[in-house]
Tab-separated table of all heavy atoms in Angstrom:
chain	number	residue	atom	x	y	z
A	7	GLU	N	109.590	91.004	115.934
A	7	GLU	CA	110.268	92.227	116.531
A	7	GLU	C	110.202	93.440	115.522
A	7	GLU	O	110.721	94.478	115.802
A	7	GLU	CB	111.742	91.997	116.845
A	7	GLU	CG	111.947	90.963	117.930
A	7	GLU	CD	113.294	90.827	118.562
A	7	GLU	OE1	114.135	91.400	117.900
A	7	GLU	OE2	113.470	90.337	119.621
A	8	ASN	N	109.503	93.227	114.437
A	8	ASN	CA	109.159	94.233	113.449
A	8	ASN	C	107.761	94.270	113.062
A	8	ASN	O	107.153	93.230	112.918
A	8	ASN	CB	110.056	94.100	112.187
A	8	ASN	CG	111.528	94.352	112.553
A	8	ASN	OD1	112.010	95.473	112.513
A	8	ASN	ND2	112.154	93.231	112.786
A	9	GLY	N	107.057	95.404	112.983
A	9	GLY	CA	105.653	95.525	112.563
A	9	GLY	C	105.593	96.251	111.273
A	9	GLY	O	106.285	97.344	111.020
A	10	ILE	N	104.727	95.803	110.331
A	10	ILE	CA	104.574	96.360	109.068
A	10	ILE	C	103.085	96.420	108.751
A	10	ILE	O	102.391	95.412	108.719
A	10	ILE	CB	105.299	95.727	107.949
A	10	ILE	CG1	106.833	95.656	108.193
A	10	ILE	CG2	105.047	96.341	106.574
A	10	ILE	CD1	107.666	94.817	107.243
A	11	TYR	N	102.591	97.672	108.549
A	11	TYR	CA	101.084	97.794	108.281
A	11	TYR	C	100.953	98.750	107.049
A	11	TYR	O	101.621	99.691	106.835
A	11	TYR	CB	100.455	98.548	109.464
A	11	TYR	CG	100.254	97.679	110.610
A	11	TYR	CD1	101.408	97.265	111.586
A	11	TYR	CD2	99.032	97.186	111.038
A	11	TYR	CE1	101.220	96.549	112.663
A	11	TYR	CE2	98.849	96.469	112.095
A	11	TYR	CZ	99.930	96.120	112.970
A	11	TYR	OH	99.787	95.199	114.097
A	12	TRP	N	99.923	98.378	106.246
A	12	TRP	CA	99.778	99.150	105.031
A	12	TRP	C	99.138	100.462	105.267
A	12	TRP	O	98.342	100.705	106.171
A	12	TRP	CB	98.683	98.375	104.165
A	12	TRP	CG	99.150	97.195	103.376
A	12	TRP	CD1	98.664	95.920	103.419
A	12	TRP	CD2	100.213	97.033	102.427
A	12	TRP	NE1	99.263	95.079	102.573
A	12	TRP	CE2	100.321	95.781	101.997
A	12	TRP	CE3	101.155	98.071	102.025
A	12	TRP	CZ2	101.297	95.307	101.127
A	12	TRP	CZ3	102.138	97.584	101.073
A	12	TRP	CH2	102.249	96.330	100.608
A	13	THR	N	99.508	101.431	104.432
A	13	THR	CA	98.674	102.749	104.238
A	13	THR	C	97.866	102.754	103.063
A	13	THR	O	97.907	101.602	102.285
A	13	THR	CB	99.663	103.877	104.275
A	13	THR	OG1	100.189	103.935	102.871
A	13	THR	CG2	100.750	103.922	105.245
A	14	ASN	N	97.102	103.676	102.742
A	14	ASN	CA	96.289	103.592	101.674
A	14	ASN	C	96.749	104.210	100.340
A	14	ASN	O	96.055	104.407	99.397
A	14	ASN	CB	94.949	104.331	101.932
A	14	ASN	CG	95.124	105.927	101.918
A	14	ASN	OD1	96.171	106.344	102.137
A	14	ASN	ND2	94.102	106.632	101.596
A	15	ILE	N	98.099	104.537	100.280
A	15	ILE	CA	98.700	105.206	99.244
A	15	ILE	C	99.830	104.418	98.457
A	15	ILE	O	100.634	103.610	99.188
A	15	ILE	CB	99.191	106.608	99.544
A	15	ILE	CG1	99.472	107.486	98.472
A	15	ILE	CG2	100.432	106.493	100.531
A	15	ILE	CD1	99.605	108.958	98.832
A	16	ILE	N	100.047	104.601	97.224
A	16	ILE	CA	101.224	103.842	96.593
A	16	ILE	C	102.477	104.564	96.990
A	16	ILE	O	102.459	105.594	97.586
A	16	ILE	CB	101.075	103.835	95.043
A	16	ILE	CG1	101.052	105.344	94.471
A	16	ILE	CG2	99.664	103.140	94.619
A	16	ILE	CD1	101.066	105.283	92.989
A	17	GLY	N	103.525	103.879	96.716
A	17	GLY	CA	104.871	104.319	97.101
A	17	GLY	C	105.308	105.642	96.564
A	17	GLY	O	104.990	105.985	95.413
A	18	PHE	N	105.965	106.408	97.304
A	18	PHE	CA	106.489	107.770	96.957
A	18	PHE	C	108.035	107.711	97.255
A	18	PHE	O	108.384	107.557	98.413
A	18	PHE	CB	105.744	108.834	97.743
A	18	PHE	CG	106.093	110.164	97.180
A	18	PHE	CD1	105.572	110.667	96.040
A	18	PHE	CD2	106.949	111.068	97.924
A	18	PHE	CE1	105.803	111.930	95.437
A	18	PHE	CE2	107.214	112.284	97.411
A	18	PHE	CZ	106.645	112.772	96.185
A	19	TYR	N	108.764	107.939	96.213
A	19	TYR	CA	110.225	107.932	96.462
A	19	TYR	C	110.963	108.868	95.420
A	19	TYR	O	110.634	108.881	94.318
A	19	TYR	CB	110.677	106.443	96.127
A	19	TYR	CG	112.272	106.285	96.319
A	19	TYR	CD1	112.809	106.376	97.635
A	19	TYR	CD2	113.084	105.947	95.260
A	19	TYR	CE1	114.206	106.295	97.801
A	19	TYR	CE2	114.430	105.754	95.487
A	19	TYR	CZ	114.956	105.934	96.732
A	19	TYR	OH	116.307	105.819	96.913
A	20	MET	N	111.916	109.610	96.014
A	20	MET	CA	112.697	110.574	95.133
A	20	MET	C	111.813	111.586	94.446
A	20	MET	O	111.979	111.831	93.271
A	20	MET	CB	113.558	109.706	94.218
A	20	MET	CG	114.591	108.960	94.842
A	20	MET	SD	115.868	109.849	95.819
A	20	MET	CE	116.828	110.414	94.472
A	21	GLY	N	110.760	112.024	95.008
A	21	GLY	CA	109.865	112.994	94.500
A	21	GLY	C	108.900	112.633	93.481
A	21	GLY	O	108.169	113.351	92.826
A	22	LYS	N	108.694	111.187	93.407
A	22	LYS	CA	107.711	110.751	92.410
A	22	LYS	C	107.014	109.420	93.025
A	22	LYS	O	107.602	108.707	93.799
A	22	LYS	CB	108.220	110.527	91.054
A	22	LYS	CG	109.291	109.461	90.963
A	22	LYS	CD	109.752	109.305	89.484
A	22	LYS	CE	110.691	108.102	89.386
A	22	LYS	NZ	111.103	107.922	88.026
A	23	TYR	N	105.833	109.189	92.492
A	23	TYR	CA	105.146	107.963	92.931
A	23	TYR	C	105.669	106.678	92.145
A	23	TYR	O	106.080	106.747	91.051
A	23	TYR	CB	103.594	107.998	92.612
A	23	TYR	CG	102.938	108.997	93.576
A	23	TYR	CD1	102.619	110.228	93.050
A	23	TYR	CD2	102.660	108.762	94.889
A	23	TYR	CE1	102.006	111.186	93.901
A	23	TYR	CE2	102.085	109.679	95.718
A	23	TYR	CZ	101.731	110.923	95.217
A	23	TYR	OH	101.201	111.854	96.077
A	24	ASN	N	105.738	105.559	92.963
A	24	ASN	CA	106.315	104.285	92.465
A	24	ASN	C	105.156	103.292	92.419
A	24	ASN	O	104.888	102.736	93.487
A	24	ASN	CB	107.482	103.898	93.403
A	24	ASN	CG	108.053	102.636	92.962
A	24	ASN	OD1	107.629	102.002	91.999
A	24	ASN	ND2	109.242	102.258	93.537
A	25	ALA	N	104.574	103.130	91.234
A	25	ALA	CA	103.296	102.339	91.226
A	25	ALA	C	103.472	100.871	91.654
A	25	ALA	O	102.514	100.226	92.081
A	25	ALA	CB	102.811	102.276	89.810
A	26	GLU	N	104.644	100.289	91.667
A	26	GLU	CA	104.861	98.874	91.942
A	26	GLU	C	104.807	98.650	93.447
A	26	GLU	O	104.779	97.482	93.969
A	26	GLU	CB	106.018	98.253	91.322
A	26	GLU	CG	107.357	98.923	91.785
A	26	GLU	CD	108.521	98.531	90.854
A	26	GLU	OE1	108.311	98.294	89.678
A	26	GLU	OE2	109.613	98.516	91.444
A	27	SER	N	105.045	99.797	94.245
A	27	SER	CA	105.092	99.650	95.714
A	27	SER	C	103.956	100.440	96.461
A	27	SER	O	103.208	101.184	95.749
A	27	SER	CB	106.477	100.141	96.236
A	27	SER	OG	106.548	101.497	96.035
A	28	ALA	N	103.813	100.268	97.637
A	28	ALA	CA	102.924	101.118	98.466
A	28	ALA	C	103.514	101.442	99.771
A	28	ALA	O	104.351	100.749	100.280
A	28	ALA	CB	101.531	100.325	98.692
A	29	GLU	N	103.129	102.541	100.328
A	29	GLU	CA	103.635	103.008	101.614
A	29	GLU	C	103.139	102.178	102.837
A	29	GLU	O	102.014	101.744	102.821
A	29	GLU	CB	103.215	104.421	101.958
A	29	GLU	CG	103.739	105.504	100.774
A	29	GLU	CD	105.140	105.696	100.917
A	29	GLU	OE1	105.579	106.596	101.682
A	29	GLU	OE2	105.948	105.111	100.138
A	30	THR	N	103.975	101.959	103.773
A	30	THR	CA	103.712	101.160	105.047
A	30	THR	C	104.128	101.938	106.258
A	30	THR	O	105.049	102.708	106.243
A	30	THR	CB	104.346	99.758	105.014
A	30	THR	OG1	105.780	99.943	105.002
A	30	THR	CG2	103.911	98.960	103.738
A	31	CYS	N	103.506	101.634	107.383
A	31	CYS	CA	103.923	101.928	108.697
A	31	CYS	C	104.777	100.925	109.200
A	31	CYS	O	104.476	99.760	109.198
A	31	CYS	CB	102.704	102.217	109.610
A	31	CYS	SG	103.118	101.871	111.283
A	32	CYS	N	105.999	101.225	109.671
A	32	CYS	CA	106.996	100.309	110.187
A	32	CYS	C	107.508	100.664	111.560
A	32	CYS	O	107.537	101.795	111.919
A	32	CYS	CB	108.155	100.205	109.337
A	32	CYS	SG	107.760	99.720	107.595
A	33	PHE	N	107.679	99.734	112.413
A	33	PHE	CA	108.234	99.842	113.798
A	33	PHE	C	109.107	98.719	114.166
A	33	PHE	O	108.938	97.682	113.524
A	33	PHE	CB	107.138	100.263	114.819
A	33	PHE	CG	106.121	99.244	114.999
A	33	PHE	CD1	106.427	98.136	115.753
A	33	PHE	CD2	104.863	99.332	114.361
A	33	PHE	CE1	105.352	97.158	115.951
A	33	PHE	CE2	103.875	98.399	114.483
A	33	PHE	CZ	104.166	97.198	115.297
A	34	ASP	N	109.964	98.998	115.131
A	34	ASP	CA	110.762	97.801	115.466
A	34	ASP	C	111.067	97.781	116.991
A	34	ASP	O	110.618	98.654	117.798
A	34	ASP	CB	112.073	97.845	114.741
A	34	ASP	CG	112.901	99.135	114.913
A	34	ASP	OD1	112.888	99.741	116.050
A	34	ASP	OD2	113.546	99.552	113.943
């Protein structure tokens, strides 16, 4: 009941990149 798909970019949080994570497309 939830979908998670990768994007091509590392995580971005609170105005800066977070190298240990990556952005995803999510839906429910």
